[in-house]
Amino acid sequence: MPNDRSDASVEDSESSQPSQPSLSPPSPQRLEASASSASSAEAASPSAALAALPALFAEESRVRAFAAVALGAGDAARVARAAGLSAKETAGALRRLREQGVVASGDDGELVVVHDRFRELARAGRPASRVPGDPAAVGGDGRADMIVRTFVRNGRLVRLPARWTRKKVVLRHIAEQTFAPGVEYPERTVDEKLRAWCEDGEVDHVTLRRHLVDFGHLRRSGGIYARPADAARTGTA
C-alpha cells in the first residue's frame, strides 16, 4: 500500500422588467406580477432560485406553459393553444418562468427551456464538502476530507488523483452525493448526473462512470446501475 502523505497542499477554491404601475384597482394577476418582480432579483442567486422552484411550479398554469415550451411551442400563441390557457394566463405564466430563468428566447426568438439553469440549480442544491474536523467527513477522517476538497470544488470534479487510495476516496464522495444506496438508475440517468460533476473538469462523465464501477461504488447489470447498500463500508483512505 502506498504511503498516503498528502499529494500537495489543498488549493484555495476558486432581471426582469419591473411591473408597470396600474391606474386601475390591482387585479390578483397584477399583484402577483408585482411580487414576482421583487423576487426576480433573487433569481440571480442559484440558492434563492432553488428555494423558489417548488412555488414556481405550484401554479398549474405555469406547469402547463412550461410543458408546452418543453414540447416545442415557440411563442405565446402556440403555448396558449398547447396548454389550453387564455392569452392572459399564458402571459403571466411565461413572465414568471422567464423571471426564474427556466424559460428564455433562443437565438431564433423561439421560446426554449434553459437546461443550463436547471444544472446550475442542481449544483446549488448539492451538499458542500464538509470542513476538516467534522466527524461526519468522508471516512470520518479529516485527511480524507482534505483529499476531497483538493479534487472537488463547487460541486465539480476538477480531476481525479493519481494515487489509488485517494482516487477511491474521491469516487466514494461522488457516489455518496449522487446516488442513493440500493436505488436502480438507467445508464442515461447516471450519465446526466455525472455530467454535472464533470463540467469544466479534466474527466468526462463516461470515464467517471467507468471508474465508479471499477472501484465498486456502482454496480452495473444490463444497463442498470445501483450504488451498493454496503457502500458506506468501502473505500476508506
Side-chain angles (χ1 to χ4, degrees):
M1 177 80 64
N3 192 342
D4 281 345
R5 289 177 300 176
S6 178
D7 289 37
S9 59
V10 179
E11 304 170 18
D12 293 335
S13 64
E14 349 177 44
S15 110
S16 144
Q17 295 295 322
S19 54
Q20 296 295 322
S22 173
L23 299 179
S24 57
S27 65
Q29 290 80 9
R30 284 175 178 163
L31 288 173
E32 179 183 3
S34 176
S36 68
S37 106
S39 65
S40 64
E42 295 181 353
S45 164
S47 58
L50 181 63
L53 206 58
L56 176 67
F57 288 107
E59 171 58 51
E60 182 182 355
S61 64
R62 296 172 203 150
V63 176
R64 291 164 69 174
F66 180 85
V69 174
L71 292 173
D75 58 43
R78 281 182 281 169
V79 169
R81 287 196 299 271
L85 300 173
S86 69
K88 189 173 184 179
E89 289 172 324
T90 300
L94 290 176
R95 182 179 62 249
R96 290 301 304 277
L97 293 170
R98 285 177 179 274
E99 288 171 351
Q100 294 297 328
V102 298
V103 165
S105 295
D107 294 338
D108 57 359
E110 296 276 285
L111 293 170
V112 294
V113 172
V114 185
H115 296 286
D116 285 345
R117 181 60 166 166
F118 285 98
R119 284 191 282 269
E120 181 184 20
L121 298 179
R123 287 195 298 269
R126 186 177 296 141
S129 299
R130 299 180 179 96
V131 298
D134 185 344
V138 178
D141 186 342
R143 177 167 50 86
D145 184 73
M146 182 183 71
I147 293 170
V148 170
R149 292 192 301 113
T150 299
F151 296 98
V152 176
R153 297 182 198 158
N154 300 321
R156 297 182 184 181
L157 175 64
V158 178
R159 64 186 184 279
L160 281 172
R163 190 165 294 183
W164 185 87
T165 50
R166 290 177 175 80
K167 185 180 294 183
K168 196 168 181 71
V169 169
V170 172
L171 291 170
R172 178 186 174 187
H173 171 81
I174 292 174
E176 288 179 344
Q177 298 297 321
T178 310
F179 305 102
V183 176
E184 294 185 339
Y185 301 88
E187 185 168 282
R188 183 172 66 177
T189 300
V190 173
D191 286 348
E192 288 174 355
K193 289 177 175 291
L194 296 182
R195 279 193 187 98
W197 287 96
C198 296
E199 289 181 7
D200 303 323
E202 298 179 2
V203 182
D204 63 80
H205 70 280
V206 175
T207 300
L208 179 57
R209 168 163 50 83
R210 186 175 67 248
H211 279 305
L212 287 168
V213 172
D214 290 346
F215 279 73
H217 295 299
L218 284 180
R219 291 176 182 166
R220 176 178 56 203
S221 177
I224 300 298
Y225 295 75
R227 179 181 157 217
D230 60 351
R233 293 194 295 272
T234 67
T236 55

